[in-house]
Amino acid sequence: MTLFVRRRITGATFVVVCSLLLMATSRTMESHLLRPGTWLGWLLTFSVLFLASYRVRKQLAMLPLGSSAAWLQCHVYVGLLSLPVFLLHAGVQWPGGLIETMTGLLFLIVFCTGVVGLILTRMIPPRLTGRGEEVIRERIPVFIRMLRDEAEASVAGVKDEAPSEVLSELYLRRLHSFFQRPANFFSHVIHSTKPCTGLLNALTDTRRFLNARDEQTMVHLADCVKRKDDLDYQYAMQSLIKYWLLLHVPLTWALVVFASCHVVIAMAYTSQ
Amino acid sequence: MSQSSVNQRSIDRPRRWDMPFSQEAGHDSVLTDAEIDSLLANDAFSQIDPAGFKRSVPLREILRNDVRLVDFQRGDVIVRHGDWGSSAFFILSGAARVELDRGDDASSELIQGRQKKTRKTLFQCLAQLWQNSRHAEFRDPDAKQKVSGNIRSVGGVTRVYISDVSAVIEHRKTVRMDAGHWFGELAALGRTPRVANVFADEKSTLLEIRWQGLRDILRFDRDQGLKKYIESVFRERALASLLRTERLFADISDQEMADLMPHCRLETFGEYDTAKPFREMSGDSVDSVKNEPVIAEEGDYPNDIVLIRSGVARLSQEHHAGRHTVGYLNPGRVFGLTEVLRGFRSGQSTEYDARLSAIGYLNAVVIPAKIVEDLLRSGAISDPEDSCRPVTDGTRGVVNENLLNFLVDGKYVQGTETMVIDMDRCTRCDDCVRACSTTHDNNPRFVRHGPVSGRHMVANACLHCLDPVCMIECPTGAIHRDTLGGLVLINDQTCIGCAQCASNCPFDAIRMVETRNAAGAILVDSKNAPILEATKCDLCHDQLGGPACQRACPHDALERVDLQSLSALEGVIAR
């Protein structure tokens, strides 16, 4: 059993055992006519604050605060544990009141984005490794421009030889926009090869109208399309893995604000 | 680039002596025939019989192309303790002084061009949040001017000098070497660090010979005078301590060690000079395995035990028409002992389990197996029962053969802090780069990019090599190895931006950057040329908690791995 598998089993066991303990404690308190909601609320508040503090740890990379990987493990399993705590705290009914509704809604959205992010960070890297050349996302527009220059030079033909009208027309109609910028984002996200296959088919269909030299150009263009498609794939997947954080992180801070308001209001009414 | 040069396919084949040593690294003079005659008449070379040399490598041409004459003023530092040297020196006139003290006081640091190693406090670490410069590559021009006071340029060559030689002689233990002395030959041939500071004691002229020339003289000199001298120096100064690093000889008595040493041979293999030939030869791994100089052949009777002093060796086994790479050996590792012990125990004939070949350049001590067997029989050394381990089959380990070939062919096995990224776990979030930037005044010191084998990338970050070729020919000693941790560091206050280290580094891990002042303007010299500096990963040696890149990786994808043994890499892969 590898270290990572052992770690996953330990983490999952921790979440399950803690959830069962919390349920048992909550039931016991209720049977003794005590209200578990208050301490479950505090537990949830501290959990949310701890989960939000991971972002602070990332900003303080220069301090010896433990490895980011260890923090992420805690972040994942405390995050997973926070759902049963939330359900025990809020009960099965949807909370009433604007602040409570917003807090509950934000918690669930942040939880869901977290789970989606976890799945994305586990699924996307092997796919990136398995397709195309390894490229830094910020450099992809540069590579696309180089590829566009190569494709356009190919279509324009070599010195003293007129370019193929068929290929030129096809390039202007279908390929020009394709080579301008990263394309087919959503197709790549859902792993559809339809746009690329369509372009390759369009190129192949021109074969009957081409002479031997232009056919070589067509093959070269098809190669450029495939390479561009790989770059688009890298761009889409690397963007996806970055963009989910744009949802998760700001909503986390919104949750912290609403949760704080909820705590203040709850404590004010509890003390009366 | 002109159209004609784009289409040009035929060029003169590059040859060894296209660039004489006397014109390398800022030197710009060619030895005249009169100077060569004068050298041939000198005691150092007059005993050598020129007839023993090959027609393609005559002694006269070796002197013309592999030698340069260098003048030093009193106080000029000739070699520094810890520098990696590829040349040896012979004092023609004047005198040099070798500093025997190796203290880390201010004067020694000044000579060596190094900086005092300090670690930031917790508050200083935190203060980087608001104290980091807003501009890339900010340097304090005043600090640089202050330190570079002891650097001077003579004939286009930059030298560090000691301003008060008398004080150094008075306060530190030194020994004077007069004309007729060789020094630096062991470091040059073994590609090991210099063991002392040497500076000119008076106005002196030294002959500096690059190691290839020295090697050829040792090879073709029939009289073997220089070879005997170098071997005697090696035996006197370094061999005993080197042999004692091997467990078998660790407890041997002084007398038995003295008996053993005359039988040991100091040998070099391969043609590896600087990074350039390595870059060329690292292109095709299949060819590189075939072309590597063989030190010991698989299946041969084990006549020798090979103790590697510097360089890296490949272990390979025959597999159909090709060869499996089954491992590699770094300095300090031994080949052949397993087979010799197996034969000794069984009393039967045995053979080498694998072929040992030099990857590029290798320097080794060869110990005849018979001597070891005699020592075992006499009880002078004891048979370490647990050391008899067969060479592993490379296809079975956690590290698959493709990855092993990739690491060995690319020479990444030199790395003591190689940045290995598991691309199946890396989300390309660049937290590692941001953390590096935060801890280096907002300047990242590596690029998250590099060659990939399977799912493992070796990123363009300094490997902190065991044999750091980047340190060869640094004129000020700004790039140096930390004496405690072994890290390769650059002192940006003594770096003069010559780019020698960056061009030597085979891994593109050193970058030349334009420095800026506090206002963000690029620093320039009197001729308006930008002031460049070499930068690279320093493994966050001044930060609390170790390398920020590794600590910042949220997915355990990035690891700094010591590839001196495969077990560390196996530990990373088998997670």
Side-chain angles (χ1 to χ4, degrees), chain A residues 173-198:
Chain A
R173 191 162 46 83
R174 301 283 304 270
L175 299 179
H176 179 70
S177 58
F178 175 71
F179 279 111
Q180 284 302 307
R181 60 188 66 84
N184 307 321
F185 180 88
F186 290 105
S187 302
H188 287 303
V189 167
I190 61 168
H191 280 265
S192 166
T193 55
K194 197 177 167 186
C196 180
T197 311

PDB file of all heavy atoms in Angstrom, chain A residues 173-198:
ATOM      1  N   ARG A 173     -11.631  30.627 -44.514  1.00  0.00           N
ATOM      2  CA  ARG A 173     -12.994  30.324 -44.084  1.00  0.00           C
ATOM      3  C   ARG A 173     -13.022  29.606 -42.727  1.00  0.00           C
ATOM      4  O   ARG A 173     -13.834  29.935 -41.868  1.00  0.00           O
ATOM      5  CB  ARG A 173     -13.659  29.468 -45.170  1.00  0.00           C
ATOM      6  CG  ARG A 173     -15.166  29.274 -45.000  1.00  0.00           C
ATOM      7  CD  ARG A 173     -15.816  28.809 -46.290  1.00  0.00           C
ATOM      8  NE  ARG A 173     -15.099  27.729 -46.937  1.00  0.00           N
ATOM      9  CZ  ARG A 173     -15.234  26.429 -46.614  1.00  0.00           C
ATOM     10  NH1 ARG A 173     -16.067  26.069 -45.677  1.00  0.00           N
ATOM     11  NH2 ARG A 173     -14.547  25.507 -47.269  1.00  0.00           N
ATOM     12  N   ARG A 174     -12.129  28.618 -42.543  1.00  0.00           N
ATOM     13  CA  ARG A 174     -12.235  27.786 -41.345  1.00  0.00           C
ATOM     14  C   ARG A 174     -11.062  27.911 -40.378  1.00  0.00           C
ATOM     15  O   ARG A 174     -11.255  27.818 -39.162  1.00  0.00           O
ATOM     16  CB  ARG A 174     -12.336  26.301 -41.751  1.00  0.00           C
ATOM     17  CG  ARG A 174     -13.495  25.929 -42.633  1.00  0.00           C
ATOM     18  CD  ARG A 174     -14.808  25.833 -41.849  1.00  0.00           C
ATOM     19  NE  ARG A 174     -14.763  24.908 -40.731  1.00  0.00           N
ATOM     20  CZ  ARG A 174     -15.077  23.610 -40.798  1.00  0.00           C
ATOM     21  NH1 ARG A 174     -15.446  23.100 -41.952  1.00  0.00           N
ATOM     22  NH2 ARG A 174     -15.043  22.850 -39.732  1.00  0.00           N
ATOM     23  N   LEU A 175      -9.862  28.051 -40.923  1.00  0.00           N
ATOM     24  CA  LEU A 175      -8.691  27.925 -40.057  1.00  0.00           C
ATOM     25  C   LEU A 175      -8.186  29.262 -39.486  1.00  0.00           C
ATOM     26  O   LEU A 175      -7.546  29.284 -38.443  1.00  0.00           O
ATOM     27  CB  LEU A 175      -7.534  27.241 -40.807  1.00  0.00           C
ATOM     28  CG  LEU A 175      -7.819  25.820 -41.288  1.00  0.00           C
ATOM     29  CD1 LEU A 175      -6.616  25.256 -42.027  1.00  0.00           C
ATOM     30  CD2 LEU A 175      -8.154  24.924 -40.111  1.00  0.00           C
ATOM     31  N   HIS A 176      -8.472  30.357 -40.194  1.00  0.00           N
ATOM     32  CA  HIS A 176      -7.934  31.650 -39.754  1.00  0.00           C
ATOM     33  C   HIS A 176      -8.339  31.955 -38.312  1.00  0.00           C
ATOM     34  O   HIS A 176      -7.500  32.273 -37.463  1.00  0.00           O
ATOM     35  CB  HIS A 176      -8.405  32.756 -40.702  1.00  0.00           C
ATOM     36  CG  HIS A 176      -7.906  34.112 -40.301  1.00  0.00           C
ATOM     37  ND1 HIS A 176      -6.580  34.464 -40.409  1.00  0.00           N
ATOM     38  CD2 HIS A 176      -8.543  35.175 -39.764  1.00  0.00           C
ATOM     39  CE1 HIS A 176      -6.420  35.695 -39.965  1.00  0.00           C
ATOM     40  NE2 HIS A 176      -7.596  36.150 -39.562  1.00  0.00           N
ATOM     41  N   SER A 177      -9.630  31.837 -38.038  1.00  0.00           N
ATOM     42  CA  SER A 177     -10.100  32.138 -36.677  1.00  0.00           C
ATOM     43  C   SER A 177      -9.599  31.098 -35.679  1.00  0.00           C
ATOM     44  O   SER A 177      -9.296  31.418 -34.529  1.00  0.00           O
ATOM     45  CB  SER A 177     -11.625  32.199 -36.645  1.00  0.00           C
ATOM     46  OG  SER A 177     -12.143  30.965 -37.107  1.00  0.00           O
ATOM     47  N   PHE A 178      -9.472  29.851 -36.150  1.00  0.00           N
ATOM     48  CA  PHE A 178      -8.994  28.777 -35.268  1.00  0.00           C
ATOM     49  C   PHE A 178      -7.580  29.059 -34.761  1.00  0.00           C
ATOM     50  O   PHE A 178      -7.256  28.795 -33.599  1.00  0.00           O
ATOM     51  CB  PHE A 178      -9.045  27.455 -36.049  1.00  0.00           C
ATOM     52  CG  PHE A 178      -8.467  26.273 -35.320  1.00  0.00           C
ATOM     53  CD1 PHE A 178      -9.124  25.719 -34.223  1.00  0.00           C
ATOM     54  CD2 PHE A 178      -7.263  25.707 -35.719  1.00  0.00           C
ATOM     55  CE1 PHE A 178      -8.582  24.625 -33.550  1.00  0.00           C
ATOM     56  CE2 PHE A 178      -6.725  24.618 -35.053  1.00  0.00           C
ATOM     57  CZ  PHE A 178      -7.383  24.076 -33.967  1.00  0.00           C
ATOM     58  N   PHE A 179      -6.743  29.608 -35.665  1.00  0.00           N
ATOM     59  CA  PHE A 179      -5.347  29.860 -35.299  1.00  0.00           C
ATOM     60  C   PHE A 179      -5.138  31.213 -34.595  1.00  0.00           C
ATOM     61  O   PHE A 179      -4.018  31.544 -34.240  1.00  0.00           O
ATOM     62  CB  PHE A 179      -4.441  29.798 -36.537  1.00  0.00           C
ATOM     63  CG  PHE A 179      -4.075  28.396 -36.936  1.00  0.00           C
ATOM     64  CD1 PHE A 179      -4.573  27.830 -38.099  1.00  0.00           C
ATOM     65  CD2 PHE A 179      -3.241  27.624 -36.147  1.00  0.00           C
ATOM     66  CE1 PHE A 179      -4.237  26.540 -38.472  1.00  0.00           C
ATOM     67  CE2 PHE A 179      -2.897  26.341 -36.510  1.00  0.00           C
ATOM     68  CZ  PHE A 179      -3.405  25.785 -37.670  1.00  0.00           C
ATOM     69  N   GLN A 180      -6.210  31.994 -34.447  1.00  0.00           N
ATOM     70  CA  GLN A 180      -6.051  33.326 -33.862  1.00  0.00           C
ATOM     71  C   GLN A 180      -5.778  33.275 -32.364  1.00  0.00           C
ATOM     72  O   GLN A 180      -4.958  34.004 -31.841  1.00  0.00           O
ATOM     73  CB  GLN A 180      -7.308  34.176 -34.100  1.00  0.00           C
ATOM     74  CG  GLN A 180      -7.425  34.706 -35.512  1.00  0.00           C
ATOM     75  CD  GLN A 180      -6.228  35.555 -35.911  1.00  0.00           C
ATOM     76  OE1 GLN A 180      -5.885  36.490 -35.215  1.00  0.00           O
ATOM     77  NE2 GLN A 180      -5.581  35.220 -37.018  1.00  0.00           N
ATOM     78  N   ARG A 181      -6.496  32.403 -31.654  1.00  0.00           N
ATOM     79  CA  ARG A 181      -6.433  32.392 -30.195  1.00  0.00           C
ATOM     80  C   ARG A 181      -6.840  31.006 -29.698  1.00  0.00           C
ATOM     81  O   ARG A 181      -7.304  30.183 -30.506  1.00  0.00           O
ATOM     82  CB  ARG A 181      -7.354  33.464 -29.617  1.00  0.00           C
ATOM     83  CG  ARG A 181      -8.819  33.307 -29.986  1.00  0.00           C
ATOM     84  CD  ARG A 181      -9.632  34.495 -29.557  1.00  0.00           C
ATOM     85  NE  ARG A 181      -9.256  35.689 -30.294  1.00  0.00           N
ATOM     86  CZ  ARG A 181      -9.731  36.021 -31.505  1.00  0.00           C
ATOM     87  NH1 ARG A 181     -10.593  35.213 -32.117  1.00  0.00           N
ATOM     88  NH2 ARG A 181      -9.350  37.106 -32.116  1.00  0.00           N
ATOM     89  N   PRO A 182      -6.694  30.748 -28.395  1.00  0.00           N
ATOM     90  CA  PRO A 182      -7.163  29.461 -27.868  1.00  0.00           C
ATOM     91  C   PRO A 182      -8.638  29.260 -28.213  1.00  0.00           C
ATOM     92  O   PRO A 182      -9.446  30.188 -28.065  1.00  0.00           O
ATOM     93  CB  PRO A 182      -6.972  29.598 -26.360  1.00  0.00           C
ATOM     94  CG  PRO A 182      -5.877  30.590 -26.205  1.00  0.00           C
ATOM     95  CD  PRO A 182      -6.041  31.552 -27.342  1.00  0.00           C
ATOM     96  N   ALA A 183      -8.965  28.102 -28.691  1.00  0.00           N
ATOM     97  CA  ALA A 183     -10.335  27.861 -29.185  1.00  0.00           C
ATOM     98  C   ALA A 183     -10.940  26.608 -28.551  1.00  0.00           C
ATOM     99  O   ALA A 183     -10.235  25.810 -27.928  1.00  0.00           O
ATOM    100  CB  ALA A 183     -10.295  27.706 -30.706  1.00  0.00           C
ATOM    101  N   ASN A 184     -12.262  26.481 -28.720  1.00  0.00           N
ATOM    102  CA  ASN A 184     -13.015  25.275 -28.339  1.00  0.00           C
ATOM    103  C   ASN A 184     -12.854  24.916 -26.857  1.00  0.00           C
ATOM    104  O   ASN A 184     -12.657  23.744 -26.509  1.00  0.00           O
ATOM    105  CB  ASN A 184     -12.589  24.083 -29.212  1.00  0.00           C
ATOM    106  CG  ASN A 184     -12.694  24.409 -30.688  1.00  0.00           C
ATOM    107  OD1 ASN A 184     -13.634  25.089 -31.122  1.00  0.00           O
ATOM    108  ND2 ASN A 184     -11.720  23.980 -31.471  1.00  0.00           N
ATOM    109  N   PHE A 185     -12.927  25.919 -26.001  1.00  0.00           N
ATOM    110  CA  PHE A 185     -12.722  25.702 -24.562  1.00  0.00           C
ATOM    111  C   PHE A 185     -13.674  24.625 -24.032  1.00  0.00           C
ATOM    112  O   PHE A 185     -13.239  23.638 -23.424  1.00  0.00           O
ATOM    113  CB  PHE A 185     -12.934  27.027 -23.820  1.00  0.00           C
ATOM    114  CG  PHE A 185     -12.754  26.929 -22.334  1.00  0.00           C
ATOM    115  CD1 PHE A 185     -11.504  27.106 -21.757  1.00  0.00           C
ATOM    116  CD2 PHE A 185     -13.833  26.659 -21.502  1.00  0.00           C
ATOM    117  CE1 PHE A 185     -11.335  27.014 -20.386  1.00  0.00           C
ATOM    118  CE2 PHE A 185     -13.665  26.563 -20.131  1.00  0.00           C
ATOM    119  CZ  PHE A 185     -12.419  26.748 -19.576  1.00  0.00           C
ATOM    120  N   PHE A 186     -14.971  24.811 -24.278  1.00  0.00           N
ATOM    121  CA  PHE A 186     -15.948  23.904 -23.672  1.00  0.00           C
ATOM    122  C   PHE A 186     -15.884  22.500 -24.282  1.00  0.00           C
ATOM    123  O   PHE A 186     -16.144  21.522 -23.594  1.00  0.00           O
ATOM    124  CB  PHE A 186     -17.357  24.501 -23.777  1.00  0.00           C
ATOM    125  CG  PHE A 186     -17.509  25.699 -22.881  1.00  0.00           C
ATOM    126  CD1 PHE A 186     -17.523  26.980 -23.391  1.00  0.00           C
ATOM    127  CD2 PHE A 186     -17.582  25.528 -21.503  1.00  0.00           C
ATOM    128  CE1 PHE A 186     -17.624  28.077 -22.557  1.00  0.00           C
ATOM    129  CE2 PHE A 186     -17.687  26.620 -20.655  1.00  0.00           C
ATOM    130  CZ  PHE A 186     -17.708  27.911 -21.181  1.00  0.00           C
ATOM    131  N   SER A 187     -15.538  22.426 -25.566  1.00  0.00           N
ATOM    132  CA  SER A 187     -15.372  21.102 -26.177  1.00  0.00           C
ATOM    133  C   SER A 187     -14.271  20.325 -25.476  1.00  0.00           C
ATOM    134  O   SER A 187     -14.396  19.132 -25.204  1.00  0.00           O
ATOM    135  CB  SER A 187     -15.028  21.241 -27.662  1.00  0.00           C
ATOM    136  OG  SER A 187     -16.026  21.951 -28.319  1.00  0.00           O
ATOM    137  N   HIS A 188     -13.174  21.032 -25.174  1.00  0.00           N
ATOM    138  CA  HIS A 188     -12.070  20.353 -24.499  1.00  0.00           C
ATOM    139  C   HIS A 188     -12.447  19.975 -23.075  1.00  0.00           C
ATOM    140  O   HIS A 188     -12.042  18.909 -22.592  1.00  0.00           O
ATOM    141  CB  HIS A 188     -10.825  21.242 -24.508  1.00  0.00           C
ATOM    142  CG  HIS A 188     -10.180  21.334 -25.861  1.00  0.00           C
ATOM    143  ND1 HIS A 188      -9.763  20.220 -26.556  1.00  0.00           N
ATOM    144  CD2 HIS A 188      -9.909  22.402 -26.658  1.00  0.00           C
ATOM    145  CE1 HIS A 188      -9.245  20.597 -27.716  1.00  0.00           C
ATOM    146  NE2 HIS A 188      -9.331  21.917 -27.807  1.00  0.00           N
ATOM    147  N   VAL A 189     -13.237  20.833 -22.427  1.00  0.00           N
ATOM    148  CA  VAL A 189     -13.634  20.539 -21.049  1.00  0.00           C
ATOM    149  C   VAL A 189     -14.447  19.244 -21.005  1.00  0.00           C
ATOM    150  O   VAL A 189     -14.284  18.420 -20.105  1.00  0.00           O
ATOM    151  CB  VAL A 189     -14.436  21.723 -20.450  1.00  0.00           C
ATOM    152  CG1 VAL A 189     -15.117  21.311 -19.144  1.00  0.00           C
ATOM    153  CG2 VAL A 189     -13.507  22.908 -20.199  1.00  0.00           C
ATOM    154  N   ILE A 190     -15.300  19.047 -22.004  1.00  0.00           N
ATOM    155  CA  ILE A 190     -16.104  17.812 -22.020  1.00  0.00           C
ATOM    156  C   ILE A 190     -15.446  16.718 -22.871  1.00  0.00           C
ATOM    157  O   ILE A 190     -16.068  15.719 -23.199  1.00  0.00           O
ATOM    158  CB  ILE A 190     -17.546  18.085 -22.505  1.00  0.00           C
ATOM    159  CG1 ILE A 190     -17.532  18.633 -23.945  1.00  0.00           C
ATOM    160  CG2 ILE A 190     -18.281  19.030 -21.562  1.00  0.00           C
ATOM    161  CD1 ILE A 190     -18.904  18.648 -24.586  1.00  0.00           C
ATOM    162  N   HIS A 191     -14.200  16.940 -23.202  1.00  0.00           N
ATOM    163  CA  HIS A 191     -13.397  15.956 -23.943  1.00  0.00           C
ATOM    164  C   HIS A 191     -13.985  15.614 -25.306  1.00  0.00           C
ATOM    165  O   HIS A 191     -13.898  14.464 -25.750  1.00  0.00           O
ATOM    166  CB  HIS A 191     -13.215  14.681 -23.118  1.00  0.00           C
ATOM    167  CG  HIS A 191     -12.146  14.834 -22.096  1.00  0.00           C
ATOM    168  ND1 HIS A 191     -10.844  14.453 -22.294  1.00  0.00           N
ATOM    169  CD2 HIS A 191     -12.201  15.387 -20.879  1.00  0.00           C
ATOM    170  CE1 HIS A 191     -10.133  14.754 -21.242  1.00  0.00           C
ATOM    171  NE2 HIS A 191     -10.938  15.326 -20.361  1.00  0.00           N
ATOM    172  N   SER A 192     -14.583  16.590 -25.941  1.00  0.00           N
ATOM    173  CA  SER A 192     -15.112  16.355 -27.282  1.00  0.00           C
ATOM    174  C   SER A 192     -14.037  16.679 -28.314  1.00  0.00           C
ATOM    175  O   SER A 192     -13.381  17.719 -28.248  1.00  0.00           O
ATOM    176  CB  SER A 192     -16.331  17.258 -27.511  1.00  0.00           C
ATOM    177  OG  SER A 192     -16.647  17.285 -28.880  1.00  0.00           O
ATOM    178  N   THR A 193     -13.861  15.786 -29.276  1.00  0.00           N
ATOM    179  CA  THR A 193     -12.864  16.017 -30.331  1.00  0.00           C
ATOM    180  C   THR A 193     -13.552  16.489 -31.615  1.00  0.00           C
ATOM    181  O   THR A 193     -12.922  16.569 -32.670  1.00  0.00           O
ATOM    182  CB  THR A 193     -12.070  14.731 -30.635  1.00  0.00           C
ATOM    183  OG1 THR A 193     -13.005  13.702 -30.946  1.00  0.00           O
ATOM    184  CG2 THR A 193     -11.220  14.309 -29.458  1.00  0.00           C
ATOM    185  N   LYS A 194     -14.847  16.794 -31.487  1.00  0.00           N
ATOM    186  CA  LYS A 194     -15.626  17.131 -32.681  1.00  0.00           C
ATOM    187  C   LYS A 194     -15.046  18.309 -33.478  1.00  0.00           C
ATOM    188  O   LYS A 194     -14.888  18.212 -34.710  1.00  0.00           O
ATOM    189  CB  LYS A 194     -17.072  17.425 -32.265  1.00  0.00           C
ATOM    190  CG  LYS A 194     -18.051  17.383 -33.406  1.00  0.00           C
ATOM    191  CD  LYS A 194     -19.450  17.600 -32.877  1.00  0.00           C
ATOM    192  CE  LYS A 194     -20.395  17.868 -34.033  1.00  0.00           C
ATOM    193  NZ  LYS A 194     -21.725  18.232 -33.581  1.00  0.00           N
ATOM    194  N   PRO A 195     -14.719  19.446 -32.835  1.00  0.00           N
ATOM    195  CA  PRO A 195     -14.210  20.581 -33.633  1.00  0.00           C
ATOM    196  C   PRO A 195     -12.935  20.245 -34.390  1.00  0.00           C
ATOM    197  O   PRO A 195     -12.810  20.591 -35.572  1.00  0.00           O
ATOM    198  CB  PRO A 195     -13.945  21.660 -32.578  1.00  0.00           C
ATOM    199  CG  PRO A 195     -14.790  21.286 -31.414  1.00  0.00           C
ATOM    200  CD  PRO A 195     -14.849  19.806 -31.414  1.00  0.00           C
ATOM    201  N   CYS A 196     -12.026  19.566 -33.750  1.00  0.00           N
ATOM    202  CA  CYS A 196     -10.760  19.230 -34.415  1.00  0.00           C
ATOM    203  C   CYS A 196     -11.011  18.239 -35.554  1.00  0.00           C
ATOM    204  O   CYS A 196     -10.470  18.400 -36.661  1.00  0.00           O
ATOM    205  CB  CYS A 196      -9.786  18.637 -33.402  1.00  0.00           C
ATOM    206  SG  CYS A 196      -8.220  18.183 -34.122  1.00  0.00           S
ATOM    207  N   THR A 197     -11.821  17.235 -35.273  1.00  0.00           N
ATOM    208  CA  THR A 197     -12.130  16.252 -36.309  1.00  0.00           C
ATOM    209  C   THR A 197     -12.781  16.942 -37.506  1.00  0.00           C
ATOM    210  O   THR A 197     -12.485  16.608 -38.668  1.00  0.00           O
ATOM    211  CB  THR A 197     -13.081  15.166 -35.749  1.00  0.00           C
ATOM    212  OG1 THR A 197     -12.555  14.717 -34.517  1.00  0.00           O
ATOM    213  CG2 THR A 197     -13.213  14.000 -36.698  1.00  0.00           C
ATOM    214  N   GLY A 198     -13.655  17.902 -37.233  1.00  0.00           N
ATOM    215  CA  GLY A 198     -14.311  18.643 -38.315  1.00  0.00           C
ATOM    216  C   GLY A 198     -13.302  19.361 -39.188  1.00  0.00           C
ATOM    217  O   GLY A 198     -13.383  19.298 -40.429  1.00  0.00           O
TER     218      GLY A 198
END
